[in-house]
Amino acid sequence: MRSTFTGTAGAYRFTLLAGAATFALAMPGTAFAQEEEPEVEAPDSSNVIIVTASKREQTLQEVPIAVSVTSGETIERAQIRDVLDLQSVVPSLRVSQLQTSSATTFIIRGFGNGDNNFGIEPSVGVFIDGVFRSRSAAALSDLNMISRVEVLNGPQSTLFGKNASAGVISIVTKEPQYEFGGQIEAAYGNFNALNVRGEVTGPITDNIAWSLDGTYQRRDGFGRIVNLDNADINDRNRWSVRGNLLIEPTADLKIRLIADFTDIDESCCQTSNLVVGGITQLAIGGVGGVFPTDFFSFDNFLNAVPFNKNQNYGFSGQVDWNLTDTLALTSITSYRELTNAFTQDVDFTSADITAETRDQAVDTFTQELRLTSDFDGPINFLLGGYYFKESITQDSNLSIGRDFRNFAAIQAAPAALLPPNPTAAQRIAVGNAVLQNVEAGLGLPLGSILGGTALTRERFAMDNTSWSVFGTVDFEPADGLVFTAGFNYTDDRKDFVIDFQALDPLANINLVDAFITGATGGAVRNRAQFQALPAANQQALLAAATNPAVNSLLGLSALQFQTPSPNVPNSVEPGRTRDDQLTYLLRVAYQASNELNVYASYSTGFKASSVNLSRDSRPLSTDYIPGPGPRGSTFAAPASPIVNAGLATPNLSTGTRFAGPEEAQVYEIGMKGQWDGFGFNLAVFDQTIEGFQSFLFTGLGFGLANAGKQSVRGFEIDTTIQPTDGLVLTFAATHLDPLYDDFTGGPLGDLSGRRPAGIPAWSLRTSATYSHEFGSSGNMLITRVDYAHDSQVNILDGIAGFNANQFTREVNLVNASMNLELNNGVALGLFARNLLDEQFPLTIFPGVAQAGTVSGYPNPPRTWGGLVRFKF
């Protein structure tokens, strides 16, 4: 079987649209950029975009960094609601939503990792008005009152104090204005979608201005829970509010204060099955459960409606002070709080098997200081310091539902004890009899195996303190020729606590060791007693205990879903990471003419260790070596630090508690040109990350490991052409050739030499925007069509029991909008996203407690609607 998703007529549509894209070169408000140079007056051109990617205001052409810029105007006209939609106009950026409304992954140039685990720092840093949002759950605010969004590709350690080894998403909102004004917009669409947003700004005094903006989104679910009266799933119910105060007591001092609050209360996410395995059909079906079989039907079968409640709020203050005509000081202070809670039926069937509940909280304080120069001479500099303090807590559990025992009994029933063509009831009766005999033999209460209320209960906590010093120096020996050197030194310290309880009694019994205890008449009950036996006796006992024909208990190992692990910190595992690193940048940029700039750079980047705050957290293989058997005998486990300290728990396996730091290096050359009616930006790069923190969702937890080395070579091009007044055509492309150069220790085995999954070779973004003015009335009709294509790619590196090439994805999305903007401030519009109703899986994962089943998340269907806007 091969599952390839290109959508209806995907290949044909790609051929037509890609051909058209060769004529549609670039996009109004989306372009690549660079980094530093003395500020110059921007030429008079409709394509000039001002950016602050280098922490200085410059035109996009001047900045020698690969940056994609999406203007607030483009966001408004394209009906881009949040950062999830942003990827439709930025080819190097990929954003995916996973298990909940707040679990989102940002990927740039193929590098990024999941954010459904709060112990893992993102490789792509998100900054909103200069404030680092450490978790994507705190970065999902609606894109309202936006000036622009800058996506910086590659390491940015010399400009952003909190290192982001893959890149940065910098969202810049509008400052309050001294002239009263604002806007209100309401949109209504299919799925009863109602989107309201507005902003108002004005003066308080001659040197104090204010603004207030807010959004409200409500939408019925894309999916329905069929067995729960078609209850909605994948709905929208969120609102946000933000207040700004701008104070300018003198011409040299500017203070901006921002407070914001976002609330999300939704049911997420739409999940279905690509492959229904034997256990799902037999055991789930046997207890009366129903499960989805059509991946794109949007039919769900759950035993409870999931919920996700998220509140994200904070305050920041930025002070810009011109100390002299040539020196300026900037201070950005912020404090933020995030609470995130959800309950999810994680077996994704109507059977009551298990559900996961999490209650998470994050408190973050940051302080940044920057001193910048603006000398007339050949040397200028930027020097900064950054402090970051964060505290994370998580309480979570997995439940045992009322059907879990019978679900297990069906799997425990030996074929030899079943009648021909057994019914589900007969399988349950035989299986329960087997479990009761096991309980009696092991001295457990009858009905206790998978008969309690909770499978696991855990509490995680982490404190992170980080500080850094960073800066750049520019040297311009001749007009237009600038040499830049930059550095960042970061010190990062994490202290974490893992309190994990595996509550099912069977999970706390090693079936090899239990057999040995029984075979010796109870004489051997612990490792010390076993190790005291003669070697020949040990080998004889192990040979019998690990033979399924002799030890009938071994067949129950598949029912040991969550096994115990030592709590951290302990005498072997201190529960802390200590990282520090010096990274640097070397670059030369040359302005060949007023229209053309070129640059070449070498930069390094760093991301500190990430901690696996999940129930899959396990000791390193250097700390513990399991003994023989399907779950690893504790009695026969070799000496190791964990064993020697008396910390070994039954059925203990190995893995990681944390992944070490990422260290990136990038070689890049670029060229930027801007002429009347035409502009382009080109970057060619060779990027490598040593120790990339590879992250795999396993269904109930997360596998975390360092890839020895992962690299990508490629190029990015973004072009804009304005062939006639009113018509702007855009084309942007990213080509990536990634490779696991060295990855031997991951959860899927040796991946060295393979192409990482999920990274398309080609990503294309193109658009056409036509603005027609009716005479000289000032009334405008603005029509926009954009197209996004990602070439076919494997979705995951692999799933046990399946070929990695079996599940692939190709993306072809068309979005369109039309707005009539009248000179009295009124605008009427129509819009559609995923206009052709393309279908593809966002990601996939192994079925929870259902070997052989593959589940996943489908992309959103076509949405459309109309809007009315009034600007005043």
Side-chain angles (χ1 to χ4, degrees):
M1 180 189 69
R2 180 178 177 83
S3 301
T4 301
F5 299 86
T6 61
T8 55
Y12 174 67
R13 184 159 59 250
F14 168 61
T15 302
L16 291 178
L17 293 172
T22 60
F23 297 98
L25 302 174
M27 165 179 216
T30 298
F32 289 122
Q34 306 174 300
E35 199 189 313
E36 258 147 275
E37 258 173 33
E39 185 173 348
V40 296
E41 183 178 351
D44 183 16
S45 167
S46 61
N47 192 48
V48 170
I49 301 172
I50 301 298
V51 298
T52 53
S54 63
K55 301 298 179 79
R56 307 168 187 265
E57 286 195 356
Q58 297 174 278
T59 66
L60 185 59
Q61 180 190 353
E62 295 172 323
V63 179
I65 302 175
V67 180
S68 300
V69 182
T70 305
S71 68
E73 181 181 64
T74 295
I75 289 171
E76 180 179 274
R77 290 175 175 173
Q79 285 297 296
I80 295 173
R81 295 289 176 184
D82 53 34
V83 289
L84 290 171
D85 293 334
L86 194 63
Q87 61 187 323
S88 66
V89 295
V90 181
S92 60
L93 174 67
R94 189 162 63 84
V95 186
S96 61
Q97 188 175 39
L98 303 174
Q99 186 178 353
T100 68
S101 299
S102 54
T104 303
T105 302
F106 303 107
I107 297 172
I108 292 178
R109 289 180 176 174
F111 292 110
N113 39 32
D115 196 50
N116 203 15
N117 184 326
F118 273 20
I120 298 178
E121 290 194 37
S123 295
V124 176
V126 178
F127 291 77
I128 300 179
D129 290 320
V131 175
F132 179 54
R133 303 293 181 94
S134 64
R135 300 295 179 270
S136 67
L140 294 177
S141 302
D142 296 339
L143 295 180
N144 192 44
M145 203 173 173
I146 297 298
S147 173
R148 64 189 176 277
V149 178
E150 303 174 6
V151 178
L152 290 70
N153 303 332
Q156 304 299 325
S157 60
T158 60
L159 294 171
F160 292 85
K162 187 65 174 174
N163 286 304
S165 56
V168 163
I169 301 171
S170 177
I171 299 172
V172 182
T173 65
K174 301 175 186 175
E175 287 188 351
Q177 301 297 304
Y178 287 99
E179 181 177 349
F180 181 77
Q183 67 171 319
I184 181 71
E185 175 186 296
Y188 183 80
N190 60 334
F191 298 100
N192 286 319
L194 175 64
N195 297 301
V196 180
R197 56 184 177 183
E199 60 188 67
V200 61
T201 185
I204 297 176
T205 67
D206 289 343
N207 55 11
I208 302 177
W210 66 279
S211 68
L212 182 68
D213 69 276
T215 67
Y216 173 74
Q217 290 192 48
R218 192 216 67 211
R219 188 197 67 219
D220 293 345
F222 292 146
R224 62 211 141 263
I225 307 174
V226 177
N227 60 300
L228 297 179
D229 297 324
N230 289 317
D232 279 346
I233 191 170
N234 247 92
D235 63 346
R236 273 288 172 96
N237 183 23
R238 58 182 64 181
W239 60 272
S240 66
V241 63
R242 177 174 50 212
N244 274 257
L245 194 64
L246 180 64
I247 306 170
E248 298 179 286
T250 71
D252 294 322
L253 181 62
K254 181 171 73 173
I255 302 169
R256 186 181 180 190
L257 307 177
I258 305 173
D260 65 273
F261 184 94
T262 299
D263 182 271
I264 297 175
D265 186 358
E266 297 174 352
S267 175
C268 189
C269 292
Q270 165 68 36
T271 309
S272 192
N273 293 325
L274 283 171
V275 179
V276 178
I279 292 178
T280 302
Q281 297 182 54
L282 179 67
I284 295 293
V287 298
V290 185
F291 42 84
T293 56
D294 182 349
F295 191 77
F296 295 108
S297 69
F298 288 93
D299 288 337
N300 295 259
F301 300 90
L302 305 171
N303 66 280
V305 178
F307 75 85
N308 184 193
K309 297 181 184 293
N310 174 288
Q311 288 189 340
N312 168 40
Y313 47 92
F315 169 85
S316 68
Q318 178 168 337
V319 178
D320 295 298
W321 183 17
N322 293 326
L323 301 174
T324 68
D325 291 340
T326 57
L327 290 175
L329 180 68
T330 297
S331 170
I332 303 176
T333 307
S334 77
Y335 176 76
R336 302 201 60 80
E337 293 190 9
L338 166 68
T339 60
N340 185 60
F342 70 83
T343 293
Q344 174 82 55
D345 177 1
V346 293
D347 59 85
F348 302 110
T349 72
S350 66
D352 187 4
I353 307 298
T354 186
E356 181 179 19
T357 297
R358 288 192 213 169
D359 191 353
Q360 301 166 307
V362 183
D363 296 342
T364 309
F365 171 80
T366 66
Q367 174 64 58
E368 180 176 356
L369 286 172
R370 295 196 311 267
L371 181 67
T372 58
S373 71
D374 187 17
F375 300 135
D376 292 333
I379 295 178
N380 275 286
F381 69 89
L382 177 151
L383 180 63
Y386 186 83
Y387 178 78
F388 175 88
K389 176 71 174 178
E390 183 169 78
S391 176
I392 297 174
T393 60
Q394 174 181 316
D395 292 290
S396 54
N397 67 77
L398 288 172
S399 68
I400 293 178
R402 64 179 182 274
D403 295 324
F404 210 151
R405 169 79 175 200
N406 288 340
F407 170 76
I410 289 175
Q411 300 175 66
L417 299 181
L418 292 170
N421 303 314
T423 64
Q426 289 171 324
R427 290 181 184 275
I428 291 172
V430 171
N432 266 312
V434 170
L435 293 178
Q436 289 171 1
N437 287 335
V438 170
E439 288 164 340
L442 296 177
L444 301 175
L446 291 182
S448 61
I449 295 177
L450 296 172
T453 58
L455 191 64
T456 70
R457 188 173 294 118
E458 51 271 347
R459 179 173 178 81
F460 305 113
M462 185 175 77
D463 290 328
N464 181 196
T465 302
S466 176
W467 61 270
S468 63
V469 179
F470 61 95
T472 59
V473 176
D474 295 336
F475 174 55
E476 187 174 8
D479 286 347
L481 178 63
V482 179
F483 295 93
T484 299
F487 78 98
N488 179 298
Y489 176 78
T490 295
D491 182 278
D492 186 276
R493 299 171 179 238
K494 294 183 175 74
D495 295 277
F496 59 93
V497 174
I498 298 174
D499 184 354
F500 175 70
Q501 302 175 55
L503 301 175
D504 185 65
L506 184 63
N508 286 274
I509 296 175
N510 185 276
L511 301 177
V512 171
D513 296 347
F515 178 90
I516 292 173
T517 297
T520 59
V524 177
R525 294 181 176 274
N526 56 51
R527 181 179 181 276
Q529 292 171 338
F530 179 80
Q531 294 291 326
L533 295 174
N537 291 12
Q538 293 183 31
Q539 293 304 316
L541 285 169
L542 283 174
T546 57
N547 185 347
V550 178
N551 184 359
S552 59
L553 293 174
L554 295 180
L556 300 178
S557 63
L559 303 183
Q560 296 176 307
F561 294 105
Q562 290 290 313
T563 57
S565 174
N567 291 337
V568 178
N570 56 56
S571 59
V572 174
E573 303 169 293
R576 64 173 181 259
T577 65
R578 299 292 185 264
D579 303 315
D580 65 283
Q581 185 70 31
L582 176 67
T583 58
Y584 58 93
L585 162 73
L586 299 172
R587 184 179 58 234
V588 58
Y590 181 60
Q591 183 177 355
S593 67
N594 289 334
E595 296 79 21
L596 188 65
N597 292 45
V598 295
Y599 70 94
S601 66
Y602 172 76
S603 60
T604 62
F606 167 76
K607 188 181 84 169
S609 298
S610 287
V611 178
N612 192 1
L613 297 182
S614 87
R615 57 184 65 90
D616 276 355
S617 174
R618 290 295 183 274
L620 294 171
S621 58
T622 54
D623 290 332
Y624 180 72
I625 304 171
R631 293 288 183 181
S633 166
T634 307
F635 289 0
S640 66
I642 291 286
V643 167
N644 297 343
L647 297 171
T649 57
N651 305 311
L652 181 60
S653 59
T654 60
T656 62
R657 299 295 191 184
F658 59 89
E662 292 180 354
E663 297 180 6
Q665 64 174 5
V666 183
Y667 296 90
E668 181 172 309
I669 59 174
M671 180 181 298
K672 296 167 178 289
Q674 180 63 58
W675 293 268
D676 187 18
F678 174 74
F680 79 93
N681 303 282
L682 172 68
V684 180
F685 56 87
D686 185 341
Q687 183 167 336
T688 300
I689 292 187
E690 300 272 358
F692 177 72
Q693 295 169 1
S694 178
F695 176 77
L696 177 68
F697 178 50
T698 61
L700 289 176
F702 302 89
L704 177 65
N706 288 105
K709 181 180 179 181
Q710 182 176 336
S711 62
V712 62
R713 296 177 178 177
F715 68 85
E716 300 154 335
I717 186 169
D718 186 343
T719 56
T720 306
I721 187 170
Q722 188 171 356
T724 63
D725 289 343
L727 178 62
V728 178
L729 305 173
T730 74
F731 175 75
T734 295
H735 174 65
L736 300 175
D737 183 17
L739 181 69
Y740 283 128
D741 302 86
D742 176 22
F743 191 10
T744 58
L748 295 173
D750 189 357
L751 298 178
S752 302
R754 287 177 48 179
R755 180 188 181 96
I759 305 174
W762 289 96
S763 294
L764 309 178
R765 303 293 185 266
T766 186
S767 74
T769 303
Y770 183 67
S771 303
H772 174 72
E773 183 177 6
F774 295 93
S776 56
S777 64
N779 298 325
M780 304 286 293
L781 181 65
I782 303 169
T783 304
R784 175 189 170 85
V785 178
D786 62 68
Y787 166 65
H789 166 73
D790 291 337
S791 60
Q792 184 173 306
V793 65
N794 289 350
I795 300 175
L796 283 186
D797 287 321
I799 291 182
F802 295 92
N803 189 297
N805 298 323
Q806 198 163 328
F807 305 103
T808 64
R809 174 186 62 230
E810 181 178 324
V811 176
N812 294 284
L813 291 177
V814 177
N815 306 308
S817 64
M818 179 179 291
N819 292 280
L820 177 63
E821 299 182 358
L822 306 178
N823 62 7
N824 61 3
V826 174
L828 304 173
L830 299 172
F831 61 89
R833 298 194 65 81
N834 191 10
L835 177 64
L836 303 181
D837 206 18
E838 183 81 3
Q839 295 179 332
F840 53 90
L842 297 172
T843 191
I844 60 175
F845 56 90
V848 175
Q850 301 164 69
T853 291
V854 179
S855 305
Y857 305 107
N859 71 298
R862 173 173 49 221
T863 57
W864 51 266
L867 65 87
V868 58
R869 182 189 308 119
F870 176 59
K871 293 185 177 181
F872 54 90

